[in-house]
mmCIF file of all heavy atoms in Angstrom:
data_model
loop_
_atom_site.group_PDB
_atom_site.id
_atom_site.type_symbol
_atom_site.label_atom_id
_atom_site.label_comp_id
_atom_site.label_asym_id
_atom_site.label_seq_id
_atom_site.Cartn_x
_atom_site.Cartn_y
_atom_site.Cartn_z
ATOM 1 N N VAL A 37 -19.185 27.865 38.882
ATOM 2 C CA VAL A 37 -19.008 28.291 40.273
ATOM 3 C C VAL A 37 -19.932 27.479 41.174
ATOM 4 O O VAL A 37 -20.965 26.969 40.750
ATOM 5 C CB VAL A 37 -19.309 29.799 40.452
ATOM 6 C CG1 VAL A 37 -18.254 30.643 39.767
ATOM 7 C CG2 VAL A 37 -20.695 30.152 39.928
ATOM 8 N N GLN A 139 -24.325 34.834 38.893
ATOM 9 C CA GLN A 139 -24.089 35.278 40.251
ATOM 10 C C GLN A 139 -24.161 36.804 40.383
ATOM 11 O O GLN A 139 -23.693 37.545 39.530
ATOM 12 C CB GLN A 139 -22.698 34.822 40.703
ATOM 13 C CG GLN A 139 -22.635 33.330 40.956
ATOM 14 C CD GLN A 139 -21.454 33.010 41.825
ATOM 15 O OE1 GLN A 139 -20.360 33.460 41.586
ATOM 16 N NE2 GLN A 139 -21.698 32.243 42.860
ATOM 17 N N ALA A 141 -22.455 38.496 42.302
ATOM 18 C CA ALA A 141 -21.099 39.018 42.474
ATOM 19 C C ALA A 141 -20.490 39.463 41.158
ATOM 20 O O ALA A 141 -19.559 40.248 41.127
ATOM 21 C CB ALA A 141 -20.204 37.955 43.107
ATOM 22 N N ASN A 142 -21.039 38.963 40.043
ATOM 23 C CA ASN A 142 -20.475 39.294 38.747
ATOM 24 C C ASN A 142 -21.298 40.317 37.980
ATOM 25 O O ASN A 142 -21.073 40.531 36.797
ATOM 26 C CB ASN A 142 -20.350 38.020 37.895
ATOM 27 C CG ASN A 142 -19.241 37.119 38.386
ATOM 28 O OD1 ASN A 142 -18.237 37.595 38.894
ATOM 29 N ND2 ASN A 142 -19.428 35.816 38.250
ATOM 30 N N GLY A 144 -21.238 43.351 37.915
ATOM 31 C CA GLY A 144 -20.487 44.489 37.427
ATOM 32 C C GLY A 144 -19.663 44.188 36.196
ATOM 33 O O GLY A 144 -18.952 45.051 35.702
ATOM 34 N N LEU A 145 -19.767 42.959 35.665
ATOM 35 C CA LEU A 145 -18.918 42.564 34.548
ATOM 36 C C LEU A 145 -19.683 42.481 33.235
ATOM 37 O O LEU A 145 -19.472 41.575 32.444
ATOM 38 C CB LEU A 145 -18.264 41.208 34.868
ATOM 39 C CG LEU A 145 -17.294 41.237 36.034
ATOM 40 C CD1 LEU A 145 -16.866 39.822 36.392
ATOM 41 C CD2 LEU A 145 -16.064 42.066 35.701
ATOM 42 N N ARG A 243 -12.357 28.296 30.388
ATOM 43 C CA ARG A 243 -12.788 29.599 30.904
ATOM 44 C C ARG A 243 -12.921 30.623 29.784
ATOM 45 O O ARG A 243 -13.864 31.423 29.772
ATOM 46 C CB ARG A 243 -11.812 30.080 31.980
ATOM 47 C CG ARG A 243 -11.918 29.232 33.239
ATOM 48 C CD ARG A 243 -11.127 29.776 34.397
ATOM 49 N NE ARG A 243 -11.544 29.073 35.611
ATOM 50 C CZ ARG A 243 -11.529 29.600 36.815
ATOM 51 N NH1 ARG A 243 -11.116 30.839 37.004
ATOM 52 N NH2 ARG A 243 -11.938 28.896 37.853
ATOM 53 N N ASP A 247 -16.545 32.044 28.683
ATOM 54 C CA ASP A 247 -16.670 33.500 28.783
ATOM 55 C C ASP A 247 -17.450 34.001 27.578
ATOM 56 O O ASP A 247 -17.095 33.751 26.434
ATOM 57 C CB ASP A 247 -15.266 34.124 28.787
ATOM 58 C CG ASP A 247 -15.300 35.597 29.128
ATOM 59 O OD1 ASP A 247 -16.085 35.986 29.992
ATOM 60 O OD2 ASP A 247 -14.522 36.350 28.518
ATOM 61 N N LEU A 251 -21.134 36.812 30.466
ATOM 62 C CA LEU A 251 -20.194 37.886 30.749
ATOM 63 C C LEU A 251 -19.021 37.852 29.782
ATOM 64 O O LEU A 251 -18.783 36.852 29.124
ATOM 65 C CB LEU A 251 -19.633 37.733 32.179
ATOM 66 C CG LEU A 251 -20.634 37.536 33.309
ATOM 67 C CD1 LEU A 251 -19.915 37.072 34.561
ATOM 68 C CD2 LEU A 251 -21.363 38.830 33.587
ATOM 69 N N ASN A 252 -18.299 38.972 29.728
ATOM 70 C CA ASN A 252 -17.021 39.017 29.015
ATOM 71 C C ASN A 252 -15.961 39.481 30.000
ATOM 72 O O ASN A 252 -15.785 40.677 30.223
ATOM 73 C CB ASN A 252 -17.103 39.989 27.823
ATOM 74 C CG ASN A 252 -17.906 39.411 26.679
ATOM 75 O OD1 ASN A 252 -17.579 38.355 26.162
ATOM 76 N ND2 ASN A 252 -18.963 40.095 26.286
ATOM 77 N N LYS A 253 -15.243 38.531 30.588
ATOM 78 C CA LYS A 253 -14.296 38.870 31.646
ATOM 79 C C LYS A 253 -12.848 38.888 31.192
ATOM 80 O O LYS A 253 -12.032 39.610 31.749
ATOM 81 C CB LYS A 253 -14.428 37.865 32.806
ATOM 82 C CG LYS A 253 -15.779 37.883 33.498
ATOM 83 C CD LYS A 253 -15.741 37.049 34.774
ATOM 84 C CE LYS A 253 -15.611 35.573 34.477
ATOM 85 N NZ LYS A 253 -15.689 34.747 35.698
ATOM 86 N N TYR A 254 -12.505 38.056 30.209
ATOM 87 C CA TYR A 254 -11.106 37.852 29.863
ATOM 88 C C TYR A 254 -10.741 38.469 28.511
ATOM 89 O O TYR A 254 -11.510 38.387 27.548
ATOM 90 C CB TYR A 254 -10.790 36.350 29.831
ATOM 91 C CG TYR A 254 -11.191 35.621 31.089
ATOM 92 C CD1 TYR A 254 -12.116 34.582 31.049
ATOM 93 C CD2 TYR A 254 -10.641 35.966 32.323
ATOM 94 C CE1 TYR A 254 -12.493 33.899 32.197
ATOM 95 C CE2 TYR A 254 -11.011 35.292 33.490
ATOM 96 C CZ TYR A 254 -11.931 34.265 33.413
ATOM 97 O OH TYR A 254 -12.306 33.593 34.556
ATOM 98 N N ASP A 259 -4.414 37.128 30.237
ATOM 99 C CA ASP A 259 -5.327 37.792 31.158
ATOM 100 C C ASP A 259 -6.148 36.771 31.938
ATOM 101 O O ASP A 259 -6.396 36.935 33.131
ATOM 102 C CB ASP A 259 -6.254 38.732 30.385
ATOM 103 C CG ASP A 259 -7.192 39.505 31.303
ATOM 104 O OD1 ASP A 259 -6.690 40.149 32.242
ATOM 105 O OD2 ASP A 259 -8.415 39.448 31.080
ATOM 106 N N CYS A 260 -6.548 35.699 31.275
ATOM 107 C CA CYS A 260 -7.303 34.630 31.941
ATOM 108 C C CYS A 260 -6.442 33.951 33.000
ATOM 109 O O CYS A 260 -6.894 33.702 34.119
ATOM 110 C CB CYS A 260 -7.789 33.609 30.912
ATOM 111 S SG CYS A 260 -8.740 32.247 31.610
ATOM 112 N N ILE A 261 -5.180 33.661 32.658
ATOM 113 C CA ILE A 261 -4.257 33.047 33.623
ATOM 114 C C ILE A 261 -4.056 33.977 34.819
ATOM 115 O O ILE A 261 -4.111 33.548 35.978
ATOM 116 C CB ILE A 261 -2.905 32.738 32.955
ATOM 117 C CG1 ILE A 261 -3.076 31.631 31.908
ATOM 118 C CG2 ILE A 261 -1.865 32.323 34.006
ATOM 119 C CD1 ILE A 261 -1.842 31.384 31.060
ATOM 120 N N SER A 262 -3.846 35.269 34.540
ATOM 121 C CA SER A 262 -3.588 36.252 35.600
ATOM 122 C C SER A 262 -4.791 36.398 36.534
ATOM 123 O O SER A 262 -4.648 36.330 37.758
ATOM 124 C CB SER A 262 -3.240 37.601 34.970
ATOM 125 O OG SER A 262 -3.084 38.585 35.962
ATOM 126 N N GLN A 263 -5.988 36.590 35.958
ATOM 127 C CA GLN A 263 -7.190 36.762 36.776
ATOM 128 C C GLN A 263 -7.486 35.497 37.597
ATOM 129 O O GLN A 263 -7.849 35.590 38.769
ATOM 130 C CB GLN A 263 -8.381 37.098 35.890
ATOM 131 C CG GLN A 263 -8.399 38.519 35.353
ATOM 132 C CD GLN A 263 -9.777 38.889 34.832
ATOM 133 O OE1 GLN A 263 -10.796 38.617 35.464
ATOM 134 N NE2 GLN A 263 -9.812 39.518 33.663
ATOM 135 N N SER A 264 -7.349 34.360 36.968
ATOM 136 C CA SER A 264 -7.647 33.104 37.655
ATOM 137 C C SER A 264 -6.689 32.890 38.822
ATOM 138 O O SER A 264 -7.096 32.484 39.915
ATOM 139 C CB SER A 264 -7.553 31.930 36.676
ATOM 140 O OG SER A 264 -8.501 32.061 35.630
ATOM 141 N N TYR A 265 -5.408 33.177 38.596
ATOM 142 C CA TYR A 265 -4.404 33.000 39.648
ATOM 143 C C TYR A 265 -4.630 33.972 40.799
ATOM 144 O O TYR A 265 -4.551 33.594 41.974
ATOM 145 C CB TYR A 265 -3.005 33.175 39.069
ATOM 146 C CG TYR A 265 -1.904 33.080 40.109
ATOM 147 C CD1 TYR A 265 -1.543 31.847 40.648
ATOM 148 C CD2 TYR A 265 -1.260 34.230 40.558
ATOM 149 C CE1 TYR A 265 -0.542 31.754 41.609
ATOM 150 C CE2 TYR A 265 -0.261 34.147 41.517
ATOM 151 C CZ TYR A 265 0.093 32.910 42.042
ATOM 152 O OH TYR A 265 1.069 32.827 43.003
ATOM 153 N N GLN A 266 -4.917 35.236 40.478
ATOM 154 C CA GLN A 266 -5.116 36.250 41.512
ATOM 155 C C GLN A 266 -6.325 35.942 42.393
ATOM 156 O O GLN A 266 -6.293 36.170 43.600
ATOM 157 C CB GLN A 266 -5.286 37.626 40.865
ATOM 158 C CG GLN A 266 -3.997 38.194 40.276
ATOM 159 C CD GLN A 266 -4.226 39.489 39.508
ATOM 160 O OE1 GLN A 266 -5.323 40.053 39.556
ATOM 161 N NE2 GLN A 266 -3.210 39.953 38.808
ATOM 162 N N LYS A 267 -7.379 35.419 41.796
ATOM 163 C CA LYS A 267 -8.618 35.179 42.541
ATOM 164 C C LYS A 267 -8.640 33.820 43.253
ATOM 165 O O LYS A 267 -9.231 33.691 44.321
ATOM 166 C CB LYS A 267 -9.822 35.272 41.609
ATOM 167 C CG LYS A 267 -10.081 36.681 41.083
ATOM 168 C CD LYS A 267 -11.263 36.690 40.129
ATOM 169 C CE LYS A 267 -11.533 38.086 39.582
ATOM 170 N NZ LYS A 267 -12.650 38.093 38.591
ATOM 171 N N GLU A 268 -8.014 32.804 42.647
ATOM 172 C CA GLU A 268 -8.184 31.444 43.167
ATOM 173 C C GLU A 268 -6.881 30.704 43.436
ATOM 174 O O GLU A 268 -6.913 29.562 43.894
ATOM 175 C CB GLU A 268 -9.053 30.634 42.193
ATOM 176 C CG GLU A 268 -10.435 31.249 41.992
ATOM 177 C CD GLU A 268 -11.178 30.604 40.834
ATOM 178 O OE1 GLU A 268 -11.606 29.447 41.008
ATOM 179 O OE2 GLU A 268 -11.322 31.239 39.780
ATOM 180 N N GLY A 269 -5.742 31.319 43.128
ATOM 181 C CA GLY A 269 -4.467 30.692 43.416
ATOM 182 C C GLY A 269 -4.050 29.659 42.388
ATOM 183 O O GLY A 269 -4.763 29.383 41.414
ATOM 184 N N LEU A 270 -2.886 29.053 42.619
ATOM 185 C CA LEU A 270 -2.322 28.091 41.675
ATOM 186 C C LEU A 270 -3.192 26.851 41.507
ATOM 187 O O LEU A 270 -3.230 26.246 40.434
ATOM 188 C CB LEU A 270 -0.919 27.688 42.158
ATOM 189 C CG LEU A 270 -0.073 26.854 41.189
ATOM 190 C CD1 LEU A 270 0.224 27.622 39.910
ATOM 191 C CD2 LEU A 270 1.225 26.413 41.863
ATOM 192 N N LYS A 271 -3.902 26.478 42.564
ATOM 193 C CA LYS A 271 -4.698 25.243 42.524
ATOM 194 C C LYS A 271 -5.799 25.284 41.482
ATOM 195 O O LYS A 271 -6.280 24.230 41.051
ATOM 196 C CB LYS A 271 -5.303 24.952 43.895
ATOM 197 C CG LYS A 271 -6.317 25.998 44.352
ATOM 198 C CD LYS A 271 -6.890 25.652 45.725
ATOM 199 C CE LYS A 271 -7.931 26.689 46.159
ATOM 200 N NZ LYS A 271 -8.490 26.363 47.490
ATOM 201 N N VAL A 272 -6.202 26.483 41.042
ATOM 202 C CA VAL A 272 -7.283 26.585 40.061
ATOM 203 C C VAL A 272 -6.903 25.912 38.745
ATOM 204 O O VAL A 272 -7.761 25.386 38.032
ATOM 205 C CB VAL A 272 -7.665 28.061 39.811
ATOM 206 C CG1 VAL A 272 -6.560 28.821 39.074
ATOM 207 C CG2 VAL A 272 -8.964 28.143 39.005
ATOM 208 N N PHE A 273 -5.606 25.893 38.411
ATOM 209 C CA PHE A 273 -5.173 25.320 37.139
ATOM 210 C C PHE A 273 -5.162 23.796 37.163
ATOM 211 O O PHE A 273 -4.926 23.166 36.124
ATOM 212 C CB PHE A 273 -3.789 25.862 36.769
ATOM 213 C CG PHE A 273 -3.768 27.350 36.602
ATOM 214 C CD1 PHE A 273 -3.149 28.165 37.544
ATOM 215 C CD2 PHE A 273 -4.414 27.953 35.536
ATOM 216 C CE1 PHE A 273 -3.149 29.547 37.407
ATOM 217 C CE2 PHE A 273 -4.421 29.328 35.386
ATOM 218 C CZ PHE A 273 -3.796 30.133 36.323
ATOM 219 N N ARG A 275 -7.857 22.286 38.649
ATOM 220 C CA ARG A 275 -9.263 21.961 38.903
ATOM 221 C C ARG A 275 -9.757 21.017 37.803
ATOM 222 O O ARG A 275 -9.603 21.275 36.616
ATOM 223 C CB ARG A 275 -10.096 23.244 38.918
ATOM 224 C CG ARG A 275 -11.564 22.996 39.230
ATOM 225 C CD ARG A 275 -12.327 24.299 39.324
ATOM 226 N NE ARG A 275 -11.935 25.078 40.496
ATOM 227 C CZ ARG A 275 -12.401 26.295 40.747
ATOM 228 N NH1 ARG A 275 -13.242 26.872 39.910
ATOM 229 N NH2 ARG A 275 -12.015 26.932 41.828
#
Side-chain angles (χ1 to χ4, degrees):
V37 291
Q139 288 200 312
N142 288 328
L145 295 172
R243 290 188 167 210
D247 190 39
L251 310 166
N252 286 302
K253 297 190 291 185
Y254 307 120
D259 183 53
C260 180
I261 293 172
S262 176
Q263 285 196 45
S264 298
Y265 177 74
Q266 288 174 9
K267 292 178 181 177
E268 300 169 72
L270 189 63
K271 65 180 181 180
V272 69
F273 299 108
R275 182 176 291 175

